[in-house]
mmCIF file of all heavy atoms in Angstrom:
data_model
loop_
_atom_site.group_PDB
_atom_site.id
_atom_site.type_symbol
_atom_site.label_atom_id
_atom_site.label_comp_id
_atom_site.label_asym_id
_atom_site.label_seq_id
_atom_site.Cartn_x
_atom_site.Cartn_y
_atom_site.Cartn_z
ATOM 1 N N LEU A 117 27.796 183.551 -30.546
ATOM 2 C CA LEU A 117 29.217 183.270 -30.803
ATOM 3 C C LEU A 117 29.612 183.988 -32.099
ATOM 4 O O LEU A 117 29.681 183.383 -33.167
ATOM 5 C CB LEU A 117 29.415 181.753 -30.895
ATOM 6 C CG LEU A 117 30.826 181.186 -30.917
ATOM 7 C CD1 LEU A 117 31.704 181.770 -29.837
ATOM 8 C CD2 LEU A 117 30.777 179.672 -30.774
ATOM 9 N N GLY A 161 29.294 176.856 -28.421
ATOM 10 C CA GLY A 161 29.524 176.076 -29.633
ATOM 11 C C GLY A 161 28.397 176.298 -30.618
ATOM 12 O O GLY A 161 27.998 177.443 -30.871
ATOM 13 N N GLY A 162 27.839 175.197 -31.108
ATOM 14 C CA GLY A 162 26.866 175.254 -32.192
ATOM 15 C C GLY A 162 25.669 176.168 -31.938
ATOM 16 O O GLY A 162 25.276 176.935 -32.816
ATOM 17 N N ARG A 165 26.775 179.817 -32.139
ATOM 18 C CA ARG A 165 27.188 180.174 -33.492
ATOM 19 C C ARG A 165 25.965 180.241 -34.412
ATOM 20 O O ARG A 165 25.895 181.060 -35.319
ATOM 21 C CB ARG A 165 28.231 179.185 -34.008
ATOM 22 C CG ARG A 165 28.786 179.516 -35.365
ATOM 23 C CD ARG A 165 29.351 180.940 -35.481
ATOM 24 N NE ARG A 165 28.826 181.609 -36.660
ATOM 25 C CZ ARG A 165 29.055 182.890 -36.986
ATOM 26 N NH1 ARG A 165 29.823 183.673 -36.235
ATOM 27 N NH2 ARG A 165 28.518 183.405 -38.059
ATOM 28 N N TRP A 516 31.327 181.829 -43.899
ATOM 29 C CA TRP A 516 31.864 180.463 -43.985
ATOM 30 C C TRP A 516 32.275 180.028 -45.374
ATOM 31 O O TRP A 516 32.683 178.901 -45.583
ATOM 32 C CB TRP A 516 30.881 179.475 -43.360
ATOM 33 C CG TRP A 516 30.719 179.733 -41.895
ATOM 34 C CD1 TRP A 516 29.576 180.101 -41.245
ATOM 35 C CD2 TRP A 516 31.746 179.677 -40.874
ATOM 36 N NE1 TRP A 516 29.823 180.286 -39.908
ATOM 37 C CE2 TRP A 516 31.145 180.027 -39.653
ATOM 38 C CE3 TRP A 516 33.109 179.369 -40.894
ATOM 39 C CZ2 TRP A 516 31.868 180.084 -38.452
ATOM 40 C CZ3 TRP A 516 33.815 179.427 -39.701
ATOM 41 C CH2 TRP A 516 33.194 179.769 -38.502
ATOM 42 N N VAL A 592 36.772 169.016 -35.398
ATOM 43 C CA VAL A 592 36.783 170.140 -34.456
ATOM 44 C C VAL A 592 35.359 170.422 -34.023
ATOM 45 O O VAL A 592 34.466 170.576 -34.842
ATOM 46 C CB VAL A 592 37.431 171.411 -35.058
ATOM 47 C CG1 VAL A 592 38.941 171.268 -35.138
ATOM 48 C CG2 VAL A 592 36.844 171.749 -36.416
ATOM 49 N N LYS A 593 35.147 170.494 -32.742
ATOM 50 C CA LYS A 593 33.838 170.709 -32.131
ATOM 51 C C LYS A 593 34.035 170.601 -30.624
ATOM 52 O O LYS A 593 35.101 170.201 -30.175
ATOM 53 C CB LYS A 593 32.812 169.689 -32.627
ATOM 54 C CG LYS A 593 33.324 168.241 -32.586
ATOM 55 C CD LYS A 593 32.326 167.244 -33.150
ATOM 56 C CE LYS A 593 32.197 167.239 -34.659
ATOM 57 N NZ LYS A 593 30.890 167.681 -35.141
ATOM 58 N N LYS A 599 29.845 162.995 -29.134
ATOM 59 C CA LYS A 599 30.433 163.351 -30.418
ATOM 60 C C LYS A 599 31.527 162.359 -30.834
ATOM 61 O O LYS A 599 31.978 162.356 -31.962
ATOM 62 C CB LYS A 599 30.980 164.771 -30.366
ATOM 63 C CG LYS A 599 29.871 165.849 -30.272
ATOM 64 C CD LYS A 599 30.466 167.235 -30.141
ATOM 65 C CE LYS A 599 29.433 168.340 -29.987
ATOM 66 N NZ LYS A 599 28.862 168.811 -31.272
ATOM 67 N N TYR A 673 40.177 176.033 -29.855
ATOM 68 C CA TYR A 673 39.282 176.058 -31.011
ATOM 69 C C TYR A 673 38.216 177.140 -30.825
ATOM 70 O O TYR A 673 37.612 177.273 -29.758
ATOM 71 C CB TYR A 673 38.607 174.683 -31.174
ATOM 72 C CG TYR A 673 37.549 174.673 -32.258
ATOM 73 C CD1 TYR A 673 37.865 175.062 -33.553
ATOM 74 C CD2 TYR A 673 36.232 174.308 -31.977
ATOM 75 C CE1 TYR A 673 36.900 175.077 -34.539
ATOM 76 C CE2 TYR A 673 35.267 174.321 -32.959
ATOM 77 C CZ TYR A 673 35.606 174.714 -34.238
ATOM 78 O OH TYR A 673 34.646 174.738 -35.212
ATOM 79 N N ARG A 674 38.019 177.946 -31.864
ATOM 80 C CA ARG A 674 37.095 179.092 -31.806
ATOM 81 C C ARG A 674 36.725 179.490 -33.221
ATOM 82 O O ARG A 674 37.271 178.928 -34.181
ATOM 83 C CB ARG A 674 37.765 180.252 -31.059
ATOM 84 C CG ARG A 674 39.018 180.777 -31.756
ATOM 85 C CD ARG A 674 39.931 181.545 -30.802
ATOM 86 N NE ARG A 674 41.091 182.111 -31.492
ATOM 87 C CZ ARG A 674 42.160 181.418 -31.859
ATOM 88 N NH1 ARG A 674 42.237 180.121 -31.638
ATOM 89 N NH2 ARG A 674 43.152 182.017 -32.486
ATOM 90 N N VAL A 675 35.862 180.490 -33.370
ATOM 91 C CA VAL A 675 35.366 180.862 -34.701
ATOM 92 C C VAL A 675 36.522 181.253 -35.634
ATOM 93 O O VAL A 675 36.604 180.780 -36.769
ATOM 94 C CB VAL A 675 34.333 182.009 -34.603
ATOM 95 C CG1 VAL A 675 33.997 182.557 -35.986
ATOM 96 C CG2 VAL A 675 33.064 181.510 -33.921
ATOM 97 N N MET A 678 38.270 178.275 -36.905
ATOM 98 C CA MET A 678 37.473 177.526 -37.887
ATOM 99 C C MET A 678 37.541 178.178 -39.270
ATOM 100 O O MET A 678 37.435 177.493 -40.276
ATOM 101 C CB MET A 678 36.020 177.411 -37.408
ATOM 102 C CG MET A 678 35.143 176.529 -38.278
ATOM 103 S SD MET A 678 35.793 174.846 -38.554
ATOM 104 C CE MET A 678 34.296 173.957 -39.001
ATOM 105 N N GLN A 690 32.112 163.598 -38.700
ATOM 106 C CA GLN A 690 30.806 163.887 -38.085
ATOM 107 C C GLN A 690 30.242 162.555 -37.600
ATOM 108 O O GLN A 690 29.334 161.987 -38.186
ATOM 109 C CB GLN A 690 29.885 164.559 -39.119
ATOM 110 C CG GLN A 690 30.508 165.787 -39.776
ATOM 111 C CD GLN A 690 30.857 166.907 -38.802
ATOM 112 O OE1 GLN A 690 30.253 167.012 -37.720
ATOM 113 N NE2 GLN A 690 31.809 167.752 -39.149
ATOM 114 N N GLU A 697 23.255 163.846 -31.938
ATOM 115 C CA GLU A 697 23.595 165.188 -32.424
ATOM 116 C C GLU A 697 22.343 165.789 -33.042
ATOM 117 O O GLU A 697 21.825 165.279 -34.031
ATOM 118 C CB GLU A 697 24.703 165.101 -33.472
ATOM 119 C CG GLU A 697 25.215 166.446 -33.973
ATOM 120 C CD GLU A 697 26.089 167.174 -32.952
ATOM 121 O OE1 GLU A 697 25.526 167.928 -32.128
ATOM 122 O OE2 GLU A 697 27.313 166.978 -32.972
ATOM 123 N N GLY A 700 24.181 169.654 -35.838
ATOM 124 C CA GLY A 700 25.538 169.900 -36.298
ATOM 125 C C GLY A 700 25.486 171.043 -37.288
ATOM 126 O O GLY A 700 24.518 171.171 -38.064
ATOM 127 N N THR A 701 26.475 171.926 -37.219
ATOM 128 C CA THR A 701 26.613 172.961 -38.242
ATOM 129 C C THR A 701 28.050 172.986 -38.759
ATOM 130 O O THR A 701 28.307 173.453 -39.863
ATOM 131 C CB THR A 701 26.260 174.363 -37.698
ATOM 132 O OG1 THR A 701 26.968 174.566 -36.464
ATOM 133 C CG2 THR A 701 24.767 174.501 -37.472
ATOM 134 N N GLY A 702 28.975 172.427 -37.953
ATOM 135 C CA GLY A 702 30.344 172.276 -38.428
ATOM 136 C C GLY A 702 30.340 171.450 -39.715
ATOM 137 O O GLY A 702 31.032 171.795 -40.687
ATOM 138 N N LYS A 705 29.742 173.737 -42.665
ATOM 139 C CA LYS A 705 30.860 174.615 -43.030
ATOM 140 C C LYS A 705 31.901 173.836 -43.831
ATOM 141 O O LYS A 705 32.434 174.323 -44.830
ATOM 142 C CB LYS A 705 31.520 175.196 -41.776
ATOM 143 C CG LYS A 705 30.597 176.025 -40.915
ATOM 144 C CD LYS A 705 31.233 176.300 -39.537
ATOM 145 C CE LYS A 705 30.192 176.673 -38.510
ATOM 146 N NZ LYS A 705 30.724 176.572 -37.119
HETATM 147 C C1 PLP B 24 30.376 175.743 -36.136
HETATM 148 C C2 PLP B 24 31.028 175.792 -34.830
HETATM 149 C C3 PLP B 24 30.628 174.912 -33.821
HETATM 150 C C4 PLP B 24 29.599 173.828 -34.028
HETATM 151 O O1 PLP B 24 30.270 172.672 -34.506
HETATM 152 P P1 PLP B 24 29.564 171.230 -34.487
HETATM 153 O O2 PLP B 24 30.533 170.378 -35.234
HETATM 154 O O3 PLP B 24 28.269 171.378 -35.219
HETATM 155 O O4 PLP B 24 29.391 170.834 -33.079
HETATM 156 C C5 PLP B 24 31.266 175.002 -32.594
HETATM 157 N N1 PLP B 24 32.216 175.914 -32.366
HETATM 158 C C6 PLP B 24 32.648 176.768 -33.321
HETATM 159 C C7 PLP B 24 33.731 177.737 -33.010
HETATM 160 C C8 PLP B 24 32.057 176.748 -34.582
HETATM 161 O O5 PLP B 24 32.475 177.608 -35.517
#
Side-chain angles (χ1 to χ4, degrees):
L117 190 48
R165 184 54 229 175
W516 296 117
V592 286
K593 48 183 75 246
K599 291 177 182 277
Y673 174 56
R674 63 201 183 283
V675 170
M678 186 54 158
Q690 307 299 335
E697 184 74 271
T701 49
K705 300 167 200 164

